[in-house]
Amino acid sequence: MKNLHFGGSSDIALKLAQCIKNTDAVSSKKINKPYTKIFKIKNYNFVSIGKLEKEITNKYDNILIFNGSYSSSFLSMFNRKNFINDFEINFLIPMEISTFVIQKNILKKNGAIYFISSIAANDDKIGNASYSISKNALNFSSKILSNEQKKRNIRVNSIVLGLIENEMGIKAKRITNSNKKFVPLNKLIKRIQIILKDKDINKKIIKFSDD
């Protein structure tokens, strides 16, 4: 099984790569191990991503897209900058990455694309507006893309994570005053490992939460 992580510098991506061999990464940040190979990218946009075509010569079983950003935002105090930032990173960039993956045919037969999402997509907590709405758009889009790629045997799913005890999760819990429990990172990694090995799964939305 060979995997490629986009947004490979995230703590979840790094931890997962430590547990699964033959994992490569695309990252705009400097990282070293545990990846087999690292493709450096200056900015996440379709032009920059397209330049990877000559570098990525392998085909992969699984593509995991970890790109994400959290901004505290409120609809009643609408901040255009926060909404544009969250939609760019949480929705538009993952869509551009998936388009690149499909058009350049870097998936093996019956390969899968996994968008790393959040339970906040269906949460109406105050302070989460731009983050929740952008993740909701990502989840719904994964369903549409799954239907579009069904005939090509490309599986598309969103892995919807609970509250993770990392910088983003701690910030979100503080701002929203959430009483949700943190999902232990090691427990999460084990669950994702099982999903990646299951070639038959196509639930479109896969939820991981300790609530």
Side-chain angles (χ1 to χ4, degrees):
M1 180 176 66
K2 194 163 183 63
N3 306 306
L4 178 62
H5 292 176
F6 282 86
S9 63
S10 80
D11 49 2
I12 300 172
L14 287 167
K15 185 69 175 178
L16 186 60
Q18 287 176 347
C19 302
I20 301 178
K21 295 180 180 179
N22 300 319
T23 298
D24 297 339
V26 175
S27 179
S28 60
K29 296 179 181 178
K30 186 177 179 181
I31 49 176
N32 297 310
K33 293 182 178 180
Y35 293 108
T36 306
K37 188 171 184 179
I38 299 169
F39 303 99
K40 295 180 181 178
I41 190 170
K42 188 174 181 180
N43 297 301
Y44 275 102
N45 56 57
F46 195 65
V47 174
S48 296
I49 295 167
K51 291 179 181 178
L52 294 171
E53 182 181 3
K54 294 179 181 179
E55 296 183 54
I56 299 177
T57 56
N58 292 314
K59 286 185 180 288
Y60 295 90
D61 298 283
N62 301 300
I63 305 292
L64 288 90
I65 303 172
F66 290 90
N67 304 71
S69 175
Y70 177 84
S71 301
S72 174
S73 58
F74 306 83
L75 287 176
S76 53
M77 294 183 286
F78 186 77
N79 184 311
R80 187 182 184 87
K81 183 178 179 180
N82 283 353
F83 272 79
I84 289 174
N85 178 71
D86 278 8
F87 265 86
E88 174 74 17
I89 299 175
N90 296 333
F91 175 64
L92 296 177
I93 288 174
M95 288 298 105
E96 289 179 334
I97 292 171
S98 62
T99 298
F100 167 78
V101 168
I102 292 166
Q103 289 184 352
K104 304 308 178 184
N105 196 30
I106 65 172
L107 274 172
K108 292 181 181 179
K109 185 179 180 180
N110 200 32
I113 298 171
Y114 294 98
F115 297 108
I116 305 302
S117 187
S118 169
I119 57 171
N122 294 313
D123 198 343
D124 58 1
K125 285 281 185 183
I126 295 173
N128 265 354
S130 61
Y131 182 72
S132 295
I133 295 169
S134 60
K135 287 295 188 181
N136 191 288
L138 180 67
N139 290 350
F140 196 79
S141 296
S142 75
K143 294 180 181 181
I144 296 173
L145 189 59
S146 177
N147 290 337
E148 289 178 354
Q149 296 303 312
K150 200 170 185 179
K151 290 182 179 179
R152 298 180 63 189
N153 292 320
I154 293 176
R155 293 169 293 121
V156 182
N157 299 278
S158 283
I159 297 180
V160 178
L161 307 182
L163 200 59
I164 309 300
E165 196 169 6
N166 57 9
E167 184 179 348
M168 187 186 296
I170 292 170
K171 179 182 177 182
K173 186 168 185 175
R174 175 176 53 80
I175 290 172
T176 61
N177 197 27
S178 174
N179 59 3
K180 292 183 183 295
K181 296 178 182 177
F182 283 118
V183 179
L185 191 54
N186 288 336
K187 184 177 180 180
L188 172 68
I189 296 304
K190 288 179 181 178
R191 291 179 178 179
I192 294 179
Q193 281 182 277
I194 294 171
I195 293 298
L196 296 182
K197 292 176 182 177
D198 190 344
K199 294 291 184 182
D200 296 320
I201 193 164
N202 195 11
K203 292 184 178 178
K204 299 180 183 177
I205 303 293
I206 305 165
K207 295 182 181 180
F208 292 150
S209 173
D210 269 10
D211 291 338

